[in-house]
Amino acid sequence: MFKFSSAEEEWKIKRQLLLEKKVRSVDVKEAFRLSKENNFVILDVRPEAEFKEAHPEGAINVQIYRLIKEWTAWDIARRAAFAFFGIFSGTEENPEFIQSVESKIPKDGKIIVACSAGGTTKPTQNLPEGQQSRSLIAAYLLVLNGYKNVYHLEGGIYNWVKEGLPIVSDED
């Protein structure tokens, strides 16, 4: 019998809530149109350095993970655990994520959550539960905290750039 690891089990629960709350995935062209015509805000949850390099115009950055700054035995163990699950080493969930979003976007705001690659709730043969991502975890936290109009950017900022949609940089 195949047994899920706790991270996989957690993702199953998160995915179920995303489906129940009808968090819809949109492709980059639809996201661009919604941001221009329907007052959707693109919430980019990538690290600040990646956001500054390139992001959709008008996007707001609130990173879902932040660097672990301490070097205690506990922090080193956490770094190893995150790395094991494919989350870039040296990061932890940003405890101020929801508070930061709430200071920038009202609960009734229309949000498209974006990260680098996007992930998906759609099942495939290899991934029956879809593919977890930073933006889907962020979407989960938003609906859990009372946000009603939450969409998810399929293909992430990577596809946005690939499709030639407008980006800006803060690195000047």
Side-chain angles (χ1 to χ4, degrees), residues 1-12 128-129:
M1 169 92 183
F2 178 76
K3 189 166 173 5
F4 282 109
S5 74
S6 63
E8 286 168 327
E9 197 57 53
E10 271 182 40
W11 166 238
K12 268 181 86 164
E129 300 295 334

Side-chain angles (χ1 to χ4, degrees), residues 26-170:
V26 292
D27 67 32
V28 292
K29 287 183 176 161
E30 186 177 358
F32 179 66
R33 185 186 64 74
L34 289 169
S35 70
K36 292 287 170 233
E37 298 170 14
N38 294 66
N39 297 321
F40 272 78
V41 173
I42 295 174
L43 175 64
D44 190 329
V45 298
R46 297 176 300 156
E48 191 181 2
E50 284 180 45
F51 176 81
K52 283 181 171 176
E53 227 171 82
H55 57 268
E57 197 171 2
I60 292 172
N61 180 232
V62 179
Q63 52 190 9
I64 186 150
Y65 294 105
R66 65 178 190 185
L67 290 174
I68 297 172
K69 292 182 171 67
E70 304 301 317
W71 283 97
T72 64
W74 168 242
D75 293 314
I76 292 166
R78 286 192 353 219
R79 279 189 169 89
F82 274 118
F84 179 77
F85 290 116
I87 297 168
F88 44 94
S89 59
T91 59
E92 63 183 350
E93 273 191 36
N94 176 2
E96 287 132 31
F97 176 72
I98 287 296
Q99 196 182 330
S100 299
V101 174
E102 286 173 345
S103 73
K104 297 172 184 195
I105 306 170
K107 294 271 182 172
D108 60 354
K110 297 185 261 188
I111 304 171
I112 300 168
V113 191
C115 66
S116 299
T120 183
T121 55
K122 293 176 191 149
T124 63
Q125 198 171 350
N126 294 342
L127 298 161
E129 300 295 334
Q131 177 67 55
Q132 176 170 229
S133 70
R134 291 177 287 186
S135 55
L136 285 168
I137 292 167
Y140 167 80
L141 291 172
L142 291 170
V143 296
L144 211 57
N145 284 278
Y147 281 87
K148 304 270 183 260
N149 302 303
V150 180
Y151 287 38
H152 162 258
L153 184 65
E154 206 158 79
I157 302 302
Y158 173 80
N159 269 12
W160 186 281
V161 172
K162 201 171 115 188
E163 289 292 329
L165 293 169
I167 55 164
V168 292
S169 169
D170 297 348

